[in-house]
Amino acid sequence: MTVHSFQEHFDAKIDNEVMIEPRDWMPDDYRKTLIRQISQHAHSEIVGMLPEGNWITRAPSLRRKAVLLAKVQDEGGHGLYLYSAAETLGITRDEMYDQLHTGKAKYSSIFNYPTLTWADIGAIGWLVDGAAIMNQVPLCRTSYGPYARAMVRVCKEESFHQRQGFEIMMTLANGTDVQKKMAQDALNRWWWPSIMMFGPNDADSPHTAQSMRWRIKRFTNDELRQKFIDVTVEQARLIGLTVPDPDLKWNEERGHYDFGPINWDEFWNVVKGNGPCNKERLDARKKAWEDGAWVRDAALAHSEKRKARKENKEVKEVKAA
Ligand code: 3HC
C-alpha cells in the first residue's frame, strides 16, 4: 500500500465516522495535534487540582470538604486517563511531564487565577467545570478512539463537579448579604477567564480549522463559547447573580446572547506565563515531581527485581527440563 492509499484510507475513515485507533496509520500531523491537545488537557486536569486543593482544609462543613475532596481526586484520575490516552500515540509520561515543567507544554489558562474565598470553589465548579463539560461532551465523539473513550468517563464526573459548584453558589446567593456579596464577587472574577477557556476566536485559532476537518473538534471555539454563555447566563439569573458584562443582551434574531469584547491581551499574557499564579502552579508541580522521585525509584527497583526473579525461574525450569 502506498502512503497515498494509506492517506485515502485514513480520510475515508474520518469521513465515515470510523474511530482511528492506536495501531492505525495516521498522518504525522494528526498524531502531533493529538499529542499536543491530549497532553495539555491532561496537564490542565492535574494543575487544576491545585487551586481547589487549597480549600480542602478550609471547607465550611464536613459535607463540603468530602465533596471537594472527591472532586479533586476525580481531576487526578482524569489526568491519568488522558496521559494514558496520549501515551498510545508514542509519547512517554516522562516526556509529557518534562514538557510541562520546562514550560514547553501549556495547561488551561483558567488555573492561573487565585482562589480567594470559598465562593471561588463554587464558581470554579459552576463555571470552569461547566465550560469543561461544554468542551468535553463533543470530545466523546472525537475521531481518536482512546481520547473519545476517556472523555465518556470524564464527562460523567464533570456533571457532578458542575452541580456541586452551582449548589455552593445557589446556597451563598440565597444566604446572608455577606454571602451573596461573596458569590457575586467570585462571579465577577471568574466569568471572563472562564469564557477565555474556550481558546482564541476561530479567526485567530491556528488549529481549529484542521482539527474540525480531522473531527478532533466537533465544534469551533466560538461555537462552544456561545453555547456556554447562553446556558450560564440563565443559571446566573436563576440564583439572582449578575454576569459582569454590561454588553450582555439577548439577540432574538441570532437566538443567542450578544456579549462584550474579551480581553485577549489578558488571555495571551496568562498563556505566556504572566498570570497571577503561573509561577506558583508550576513550582508546585515541579516540587511534587521532585518529592515523588523516591516512589518512582522504589517502584522501578521493585519491578526490576520481580523481572529478574521471573527470568531466574525460567532459566531453572529450562535447565530442569
Ligand atoms: N489556556 C491555555 N492555552 C490555550 C487555551 C487556554 N484556555 N486556549 C487555547 N490555548 C492555546 C492552544 O493550546 C494553542 O497553543 P499550542 O499550539 O501551543 O498548543 C493556541 O492557544 C491556539 O489555540 P487553538 O484554539 O488554535 O488551539 P486548540 O485547537 O488546541 O484549541 C482548546 C484549544 C479548545 C483548549 C483545545 O485544545 C481543547 O479542546 N482541549 C481539550 C480540552 C481542554 O484542554 N480543556 C482545558 C480545561 S480542562 C478542565 O477544565 C478540567 C476540568 O475538570 C476542570
Side-chain angles (χ1 to χ4, degrees):
M1 232 184 174
T2 62
V3 171
H4 191 64
S5 47
F6 277 125
Q7 182 68 50
E8 280 171 347
H9 191 57
F10 170 84
D11 293 344
K13 291 175 90 166
I14 295 288
D15 294 345
N16 295 306
E17 300 278 355
V18 176
M19 284 282 183
I20 305 299
E21 297 297 340
R23 288 203 178 85
D24 292 347
W25 183 91
M26 61 184 84
D28 289 347
D29 285 348
Y30 177 80
R31 183 186 301 275
K32 258 192 253 144
T33 296
L34 285 168
I35 287 176
R36 175 186 62 81
Q37 175 164 330
I38 302 173
S39 61
Q40 293 184 157
H41 193 164
H43 296 328
S44 302
E45 300 281 1
I46 299 298
V47 174
M49 295 166 77
L50 296 169
E52 293 178 304
N54 181 27
W55 278 86
I56 289 174
T57 54
R58 295 185 281 167
S61 71
L62 182 60
R63 174 174 169 264
R64 292 290 186 203
K65 181 188 187 119
V67 168
L68 180 57
L69 207 50
K71 174 186 190 314
V72 172
Q73 281 171 328
D74 283 350
E75 308 299 8
H78 297 172
L80 298 185
Y81 302 144
L82 290 162
Y83 282 130
S84 304
E87 283 172 317
T88 65
L89 290 153
I91 188 169
T92 67
R93 192 72 61 98
D94 285 7
E95 283 170 322
M96 288 187 268
Y97 284 138
D98 182 61
Q99 288 174 356
L100 172 66
H101 299 154
T102 55
K104 276 197 220 96
K106 295 181 168 69
Y107 58 88
S108 191
S109 48
I110 191 73
F111 297 121
N112 290 307
Y113 291 85
T115 44
L116 304 177
T117 72
W118 172 252
D120 287 30
I121 299 305
I124 289 179
W126 173 35
L127 300 175
V128 176
D129 289 74
I133 291 173
M134 207 55 91
N135 163 289
Q136 290 172 165
V137 166
L139 285 172
C140 295
R141 293 185 299 115
T142 192
S143 56
Y144 187 58
Y147 195 18
R149 291 187 287 271
M151 281 295 106
V152 172
R153 168 77 184 268
V154 166
C155 286
K156 288 196 172 84
E157 293 171 343
E158 289 300 354
S159 308
F160 143 64
H161 299 172
Q162 192 270 355
R163 291 269 193 310
Q164 63 85 38
F166 187 64
E167 198 229 352
I168 290 174
M169 293 301 268
M170 188 163 62
T171 307
L172 293 171
N174 292 317
T176 63
D177 289 351
V178 170
Q179 286 173 326
K180 178 155 186 171
K181 196 164 161 291
M182 189 162 72
Q184 183 62 56
D185 164 60
L187 175 55
N188 293 346
R189 282 184 290 107
W190 287 91
W191 173 257
W192 290 102
S194 298
I195 62 175
M196 292 176 197
M197 274 175 74
F198 293 94
N201 288 132
D202 297 346
D204 304 320
S205 159
H207 301 303
T208 291
Q210 182 59 61
S211 288
M212 291 290 285
R213 277 194 294 277
W214 278 327
R215 298 188 200 274
I216 292 173
K217 283 186 173 180
R218 292 297 187 155
F219 297 96
T220 69
N221 297 358
D222 289 334
E223 286 168 341
L224 291 176
R225 191 180 353 261
Q226 183 67 69
K227 281 164 77 134
F228 172 72
I229 290 171
D230 291 347
V231 165
T232 313
V233 168
E234 294 307 320
Q235 293 169 349
R237 189 194 304 280
L238 203 68
I239 55 176
L241 295 180
T242 310
V243 169
D245 177 357
D247 299 322
L248 198 68
K249 192 167 167 305
W250 179 255
N251 182 320
E252 200 50 49
E253 214 177 295
R254 285 180 60 229
H256 293 292
Y257 274 98
D258 291 336
F259 54 94
I262 295 173
N263 180 344
W264 291 116
D265 290 343
E266 176 186 333
F267 170 75
W268 288 115
N269 201 28
V270 172
V271 170
K272 287 195 181 90
N274 309 315
C277 299
N278 293 59
K279 185 173 176 330
E280 183 188 329
R281 301 290 185 242
L282 265 194
D283 286 351
R285 286 311 314 151
K286 283 186 255 187
K287 185 173 179 317
W289 175 258
E290 283 142 25
D291 291 354
W294 70 272
V295 178
R296 294 192 297 276
D297 296 345
L300 217 56
H302 176 66
S303 75
E304 269 150 23
K305 232 165 136 193
R306 279 184 54 168
K307 206 167 119 220
R309 261 206 310 273
K310 191 164 166 277
E311 281 162 2
N312 285 340
K313 193 163 159 274
E314 281 159 6
V315 166
K316 279 189 190 127
E317 278 161 3
V318 167
K319 279 190 185 145

